[in-house]
Amino acid sequence: MGLKKTLILLALSLPAFLTSTAQSVRISGNVHDTEGNALPYTTVRIKGLASGCITDNKGNFSFNGQLDGQTLIISSVGFKEYSVELSDSIVFPLDVTLMTETYNLDEVVIKPERERYRNRDNPAVELIEGIIKDKEKNNPFNNEYVSRNRYETYVVALDNFTKEKQQQGLFRKFQFLNEYVDTSLVSGKPILNVSTREMVATDYYRMKPKREKQVIHGREWVGVEDFLPDEEVKAAADATLRDVDLFNDKVLILRNEFVSPFSDYATLYYKYYLMDTLSVDGEECVDLSFVPRNPQSLGFTGHIYITTDSAHFVKWIQMNIPYDINLNFIEYMNLEQRFTRDKEHPRLLVYESITAELKLYDYLDGIYGRREVSYSDYRFNEEVDREPFSHQEQIIEPEEALRRDNEFWAAYRNTDINRGGGKTDNVKEMIARLRKVPIYYWTEQFINLLFSGFIPIKEENTPLYIGPVNTMASWNGMEGLRLKLGGMTTAYLNPHLFGTGYLIYGVNDNRFKYYGRLEYSFKPKKEQWNEFPIHSLRLQYENDIYQYGQQYVYTNKDNALLSLKRLPDNMIGYIRNGELTYTLERHSGFSLTGTLRNRTNESTRFIPMLRNDGSGTSVSEITQSELEIGLRYAPGEKFIQHKWNRKSKTPERPVFTLNGTMALKGTLGSDYSMFKADFSYRQRLMTAPLGYFDVMLKAGKIWGQVPYPLLFIPNANLSYTFRKETFETMTPMEFFMDSHLTWDVIWYMNGLVLNRIPAVNNLKLREVVYFRGTWGTLSDRNDPYKDSSGNLFMYPSGRSMAVGTKMDQPFIETGFGLENIFKLMSISYFRRMTYRNTPDVDLQGVRIAVHLQY
């Protein structure tokens, strides 16, 4: 679930957090036999509900549930079933002894006693290995073309919304909410639906070349977050409750990579047990239970129900994440899939559900989410419509899909998955009533402002936003207090023409600066100028400060939170930059940009431009007119849309960029001739169970003679907050290069080591390792201390930080961090490994970051 969406729902339920009467409790205990031997992997469930768990390798169990009127059932093959009526008088944890049952089974059963587990000669392992061996042969998507229909529902609700809670705190102002209370199908607890989604679509697949398309016939989304940009809401949902293919080696859930129980190496990661036989939809099936060897690893516990005939057809899968897993906010998560078969296709998914209960902290009530999908009308090869593959976009959604009437939805709501409440009409009515209550209305507006950073001038369909708010006041060494006011238009003013502008005033330098951009989109936009795909012509002009060696890749340079610096922030000049840019983005992932640029770098007292001819002549400014061509390739990339930018929601996809820039001396006022090439590569490499790596590589070279303001300057971070793709112990102009190779590799270990340390593992901390560096050269023609032409400038001097250090070996910086501190914070320690004898540098440093983490 996205940070913004999570906090909106938490804000709505804040009164409940403050006044909760703890109707939901932690049901926990230990299960053993009459000899005191622990009974691991025993089924623990609430009678008549899907909630429960499996005991761990020491017989322990723990999950949240409601007491009154519920019956706890504990069962294991070879033992008599244990049941107990739950009430307030029961003291947890329970101490449960199962009595031996005297009956025989025709099938071979492996009962996990005292953990004498091995893969060799284990019928359970032999069974799963046979299924894994045939998984590709049974894959229906091995056909050249496949299509299927889907009906999907999605519900988000406030959990444990009891009558007592409705009468407490601020909820007394919302008495009408009791009219919309529903019941959780998982826990049986009362819930208040606050967001619902329904979708009817057809999925299309082509094997070679591999293509996936989805034609949406109807879609409706209503809830507390419907005032947010639609793409961002969808991205938050997709990250939480998404399509899952369990027959892949890895399963991506909540932006974490889990090992599938059907992985090629699953028997090294999981333990499997034959538990019992039962009838599923009239077919006799064996219950194959599985658990991770390490209960805190990113794996599942659950049951696979496999037919006892020779086909070993996987008919039903039920599984959940282990309670002890190092995964934030997930109190409970269950995944269920059901399959059918025909003569030609032995594995067709017909039903899928994912249910999650999320909490910020254990003592707070949380959020309930459930996504159900039914699949039908599978078609193959010649039966499949080819028309969707003629579209560039992956998701094809006609405008009428958002305007379906009740008759359309009634045709699909008759399916057996339309349950659990959350009908859009009810939620729409409830939200309208909520917004009439001032405390809810202003809470909603505040959260929108907090995360979007912009103020709309109209409540709906605003033509203009003012902001961003977090840059209206900041501080730096040149301007002192920097004041900024700006805004941007939206498609509600004009769907083709977009304007953005800022006016800036620096108190110390007593100088006004400004920025203006006018962009024409050849295709109409829904709201923002930068919605994918962009096909536009943009004219912009900037008159502002320029912070050498401090380029901000993922945030604004004047973000108020970055104003506190570890070193003097005075490597600052002025820049006047005018650009005309053509941009063309394709759904294939390829994009092209062409830019004509006129750039003037102006000297300041901090950045003097003194010629290196011995005269010390000062130059007030230099001008370059450049032509830049940029190529970008990001196959399969998808975006989360924000107002001022967009960010990729598919970091596991590679992104390649290649830029070439050319300037000729004397052409359009250029002072220097040069050609520059830049290449970059970024990707998240998923390596479960070892966590994942974020990798960035850059390389560049400059041909020609240029002064230091135009050279490559490594990116340094002067703030105390962590920033990716910057050096934490480097000064902003410590190195100048005309060719370089730069890397930033971050290994997110996801508790790989700490999860295995007793006592420490309870903190659920996660390790992060950083390895960064740059290695470059500076040719004699661009070295002001070796060239005497007078075309170059001497490096800035007279300051208490390293500037212009000669690079005779790679600059390397390493770091180690602890993430997930209170689920909100990370602290990282960085140390420079080379150039440690350079004066006026930081040899080490500590950085912090605050962000919700899964």
Side-chain angles (χ1 to χ4, degrees):
M1 179 170 292
L3 174 58
K4 183 186 297 186
K5 184 175 181 181
T6 300
L7 290 186
I8 290 170
L9 298 179
L10 291 177
L12 179 63
S13 56
L14 180 60
F17 294 166
L18 299 178
T19 61
S20 173
T21 58
Q23 296 298 310
S24 176
V25 301
R26 175 70 64 185
I27 299 172
S28 61
N30 179 267
V31 183
H32 52 82
D33 62 16
T34 55
E35 298 178 1
N37 300 315
L39 293 179
Y41 320 127
T42 297
T43 300
V44 183
R45 60 186 174 87
I46 299 294
K47 184 177 181 180
L49 299 173
S51 61
C53 65
I54 298 174
T55 60
D56 63 16
N57 60 345
K58 296 181 181 179
N60 297 314
F61 66 89
S62 179
F63 65 97
N64 264 24
Q66 193 174 14
L67 294 181
D68 293 339
Q70 306 295 337
T71 300
L72 181 69
I73 305 293
I74 301 176
S75 59
S76 180
V77 173
F79 295 89
K80 294 181 180 179
E81 184 176 272
Y82 172 91
S83 65
V84 60
E85 296 292 328
L86 299 179
S87 66
D88 293 335
S89 63
I90 290 183
V91 178
F92 296 105
L94 297 174
D95 185 65
V96 179
T97 301
L98 295 188
M99 308 301 292
T100 302
E101 180 67 276
T102 56
Y103 63 88
N104 296 317
L105 294 174
D106 294 333
E107 292 75 21
V108 176
V109 175
I110 303 297
K111 182 170 68 71
E113 290 188 42
R114 303 182 185 178
E115 278 301 289
R116 298 194 189 100
Y117 185 89
R118 62 180 183 178
N119 283 348
R120 180 179 297 180
D121 299 326
N122 185 336
V125 173
E126 293 174 2
L127 178 58
I128 193 65
E129 285 180 340
I131 295 171
I132 293 171
K133 179 182 176 181
D134 293 337
K135 67 179 182 179
E136 280 306 312
K137 182 180 69 175
N138 295 337
N139 186 358
F141 297 101
N142 284 335
N143 288 273
E144 184 178 359
Y145 289 92
V146 182
S147 70
R148 64 183 180 184
N149 293 336
R150 74 160 64 202
Y151 171 63
E152 179 176 324
T153 63
Y154 176 89
V155 175
V156 175
L158 301 183
D159 206 5
N160 196 32
F161 199 72
T162 62
K163 292 182 179 179
E164 291 82 3
K165 182 181 298 181
Q166 297 168 34
Q167 301 301 318
Q168 296 172 352
L170 295 176
F171 273 121
R172 286 195 297 269
K173 296 180 178 291
F174 307 97
Q175 292 294 319
F176 60 87
L177 291 180
N178 60 38
E179 302 172 25
Y180 304 95
V181 173
D182 213 322
T183 301
S184 166
L185 291 176
V186 176
S187 64
K189 295 180 290 186
I191 57 176
L192 179 67
N193 296 308
V194 294
S195 177
T196 67
R197 161 179 156 176
E198 283 184 283
M199 184 176 73
V200 177
T202 303
D203 303 330
Y204 294 88
Y205 302 83
R206 186 173 69 186
M207 187 167 60
K208 292 182 180 180
K210 185 177 180 181
R211 293 288 185 270
E212 296 183 9
K213 305 288 182 180
Q214 186 178 77
V215 178
I216 297 178
H217 308 299
R219 180 168 65 88
E220 187 168 19
W221 191 310
V222 179
V224 298
E225 77 288 354
D226 64 359
F227 63 95
L228 299 173
D230 185 62
E231 285 300 318
E232 183 167 344
V233 175
K234 287 195 296 184
D238 290 345
T240 308
L241 307 174
R242 55 189 298 166
D243 288 354
V244 173
D245 185 354
L246 292 178
F247 291 89
N248 284 334
D249 284 345
K250 307 291 180 63
V251 177
L252 192 63
I253 296 179
L254 299 168
R255 298 176 184 165
N256 287 275
E257 198 173 45
F258 290 69
V259 176
S260 167
F262 299 99
S263 167
D264 289 341
Y265 50 87
T267 55
L268 300 177
Y269 196 83
Y270 288 99
K271 298 177 182 180
Y272 296 87
Y273 303 94
L274 292 173
M275 302 298 290
D276 204 348
T277 58
L278 68 162
S279 177
V280 179
D281 296 334
E283 289 191 273
E284 188 178 62
C285 295
V286 63
D287 176 1
L288 181 66
S289 176
F290 61 93
V291 294
R293 292 176 181 265
N294 177 3
Q296 287 195 325
S297 60
L298 291 179
F300 303 97
T301 66
H303 301 267
I304 306 170
Y305 300 95
I306 305 164
T307 58
T308 56
D309 57 28
S310 59
H312 294 321
F313 165 54
V314 176
K315 189 171 183 67
W316 185 21
I317 303 170
Q318 280 192 318
M319 61 190 198
N320 54 273
I321 60 174
Y323 170 69
D324 286 334
I325 195 171
N326 192 343
L327 191 65
N328 287 340
F329 315 122
I330 307 302
E331 186 71 13
Y332 173 86
M333 185 170 185
N334 174 269
L335 188 149
E336 178 183 357
Q337 290 188 340
R338 291 179 180 264
F339 298 85
T340 190
R341 55 179 167 172
D342 58 32
K343 293 181 180 179
E344 297 181 3
H345 306 97
R347 190 179 79 225
L348 297 174
L349 178 65
V350 293
Y351 173 80
E352 177 180 50
S353 71
I354 302 179
T355 305
E357 295 184 359
L358 300 94
K359 281 190 176 183
L360 185 61
Y361 295 107
D362 288 342
Y363 55 85
L364 303 178
D365 284 332
I367 296 166
Y368 165 93
R370 182 173 176 86
R371 174 182 178 266
E372 293 184 275
V373 187
S374 67
Y375 301 97
S376 61
D377 193 20
Y378 277 84
R379 300 189 180 190
F380 300 92
N381 301 326
E382 290 76 14
E383 300 175 338
V384 177
D385 183 11
R386 306 291 202 274
E387 195 277 335
F389 297 101
S390 64
H391 294 259
Q392 288 190 12
E393 58 268 37
Q394 181 179 349
I395 297 177
I396 304 162
E397 183 175 13
E399 291 185 7
E400 58 267 23
L402 298 174
R403 299 193 297 268
R404 297 301 187 185
D405 57 20
N406 291 334
E407 184 178 351
F408 171 88
W409 291 111
Y412 297 94
R413 286 174 179 165
N414 292 330
T415 68
D416 61 354
I417 75 165
N418 184 38
R419 54 195 178 178
K423 289 187 177 180
T424 55
D425 292 342
N426 292 342
V427 176
K428 186 183 299 184
E429 178 185 285
M430 183 190 72
I431 296 301
R433 296 175 69 177
L434 271 174
R435 287 177 176 161
K436 294 179 180 179
V437 180
I439 190 170
Y440 172 83
Y441 173 82
W442 289 111
T443 298
E444 186 181 67
Q445 296 302 312
F446 172 75
I447 292 176
N448 189 22
L449 172 63
L450 180 65
F451 287 96
S452 73
F454 286 84
I455 304 171
I457 65 170
K458 281 181 58 180
E459 187 167 324
E460 294 184 1
N461 302 336
T462 180
L464 176 68
Y465 282 101
I466 299 173
V469 175
N470 63 357
T471 67
M472 288 185 174
S474 59
W475 180 274
N476 61 69
M478 168 74 79
E479 299 170 298
L481 180 62
R482 174 183 169 93
L483 304 175
K484 178 178 176 181
L485 182 64
M488 64 180 184
T489 69
T490 73
Y492 297 113
L493 182 64
N494 188 307
H496 290 277
L497 195 61
F498 296 85
T500 301
Y502 306 116
L503 181 64
I504 303 147
Y505 177 71
V507 174
N508 284 1
D509 65 354
N510 192 27
R511 179 165 170 168
F512 282 97
K513 300 96 178 171
Y514 51 87
Y515 170 84
R517 183 184 72 225
L518 192 64
E519 181 155 358
Y520 179 79
S521 175
F522 294 97
K523 294 184 177 181
K525 299 294 185 179
K526 294 180 181 179
E527 183 176 2
Q528 305 300 336
W529 64 273
N530 58 351
E531 295 165 3
F532 181 85
I534 297 174
H535 184 200
S536 70
L537 190 65
R538 180 176 70 242
L539 178 65
Q540 67 180 34
Y541 189 81
E542 176 185 22
N543 184 331
D544 203 350
I545 63 170
Y546 185 79
Q547 295 170 288
Y548 289 89
Q550 291 189 75
Q551 300 309 303
Y552 294 84
V553 181
Y554 299 107
T555 187
N556 294 304
K557 66 182 179 182
D558 44 11
N559 188 319
L561 298 178
L562 301 180
S563 295
L564 183 63
K565 307 289 187 179
R566 62 182 174 89
L567 291 172
D569 183 18
N570 56 15
M571 299 291 199
I572 301 176
Y574 293 114
I575 190 170
R576 303 190 301 277
N577 186 49
E579 295 183 358
L580 178 65
T581 302
Y582 171 79
T583 303
L584 175 63
E585 292 182 333
R586 311 290 291 180
H587 288 279
S588 63
F590 177 82
S591 62
L592 167 71
T593 58
T595 302
L596 287 174
R597 178 184 300 113
N598 182 269
R599 164 182 169 178
T600 297
N601 290 70
E602 182 181 340
S603 65
T604 65
R605 70 183 188 277
F606 299 118
I607 306 294
M609 299 181 185
L610 306 176
R611 293 198 180 276
N612 67 329
D613 57 5
S615 66
T617 304
S618 175
V619 176
S620 62
E621 61 186 36
I622 57 172
T623 299
Q624 287 290 96
S625 292
E626 303 170 344
L627 171 64
E628 179 179 305
I629 302 296
L631 303 175
R632 187 177 188 272
Y633 183 58
E637 184 178 33
K638 298 179 182 179
F639 296 99
I640 298 175
Q641 184 67 48
H642 292 282
K643 291 180 173 60
W644 69 275
N645 73 347
R646 65 186 188 191
K647 64 181 182 180
S648 174
K649 66 175 182 180
T650 52
E652 67 277 5
R653 301 282 188 171
V655 178
F656 302 93
T657 63
L658 178 63
N659 295 316
T661 306
M662 181 179 66
L664 297 176
K665 185 176 181 179
T667 302
L668 299 178
S670 289
D671 292 322
Y672 298 90
S673 294
M674 54 88 74
F675 179 79
K676 179 171 67 173
D678 295 276
F679 169 81
S680 71
Y681 157 76
R682 294 177 176 86
Q683 187 174 9
R684 173 166 294 174
L685 304 177
M686 310 301 292
T687 56
L690 303 178
Y692 60 89
F693 292 83
D694 278 352
V695 178
M696 183 279 295
L697 298 175
K698 286 183 180 179
K701 184 172 178 60
I702 296 173
W703 291 267
Q705 187 179 53
V706 293
Y708 73 81
L710 305 181
L711 292 171
F712 293 118
I713 306 176
N715 205 15
N717 180 19
L718 291 188
S719 74
Y720 291 98
T721 60
F722 168 75
R723 283 170 49 203
K724 295 180 67 173
E725 300 186 20
T726 64
F727 293 101
E728 307 290 347
T729 61
M730 185 185 288
T731 63
M733 300 178 77
E734 187 170 348
F735 301 100
F736 297 101
M737 303 172 288
D738 55 17
S739 64
H740 78 98
L741 173 66
T742 301
W743 62 91
D744 185 1
V745 179
I746 308 176
W747 181 15
Y748 295 92
M749 299 173 65
N750 280 346
L752 181 65
V753 176
L754 297 179
N755 282 349
R756 290 165 170 79
I757 302 176
V760 175
N761 58 7
N762 294 329
L763 299 176
K764 295 189 176 182
L765 300 175
R766 302 172 188 169
E767 322 87 333
V768 189
V769 176
Y770 306 90
F771 180 64
R772 296 170 169 171
T774 185
W775 195 2
T777 62
L778 183 65
S779 58
D780 291 349
R781 68 177 178 274
N782 289 321
D783 188 337
Y785 299 101
K786 294 183 179 179
D787 176 83
S788 58
S789 65
N791 294 324
L792 304 179
F793 305 136
M794 304 301 294
Y795 297 147
S797 59
R799 60 194 65 218
S800 59
M801 66 179 73
V803 175
T805 300
K806 180 182 178 181
M807 177 162 280
D808 53 13
Q809 61 178 321
F811 177 89
I812 296 176
E813 179 180 86
T814 61
F816 176 80
L818 291 178
E819 289 196 318
N820 206 35
I821 302 171
F822 306 117
K823 302 181 181 181
L824 295 171
M825 181 182 296
S826 64
I827 298 178
S828 299
Y829 167 80
F830 292 90
R831 178 182 177 89
R832 65 159 61 196
M833 307 304 294
T834 57
Y835 298 94
R836 292 184 56 82
N837 295 323
T838 303
D840 301 321
V841 299
D842 288 336
L843 300 181
Q844 55 195 1
V846 176
R847 304 290 177 265
I848 63 171
V850 178
H851 54 100
L852 290 176
Q853 296 176 315
Y854 295 122

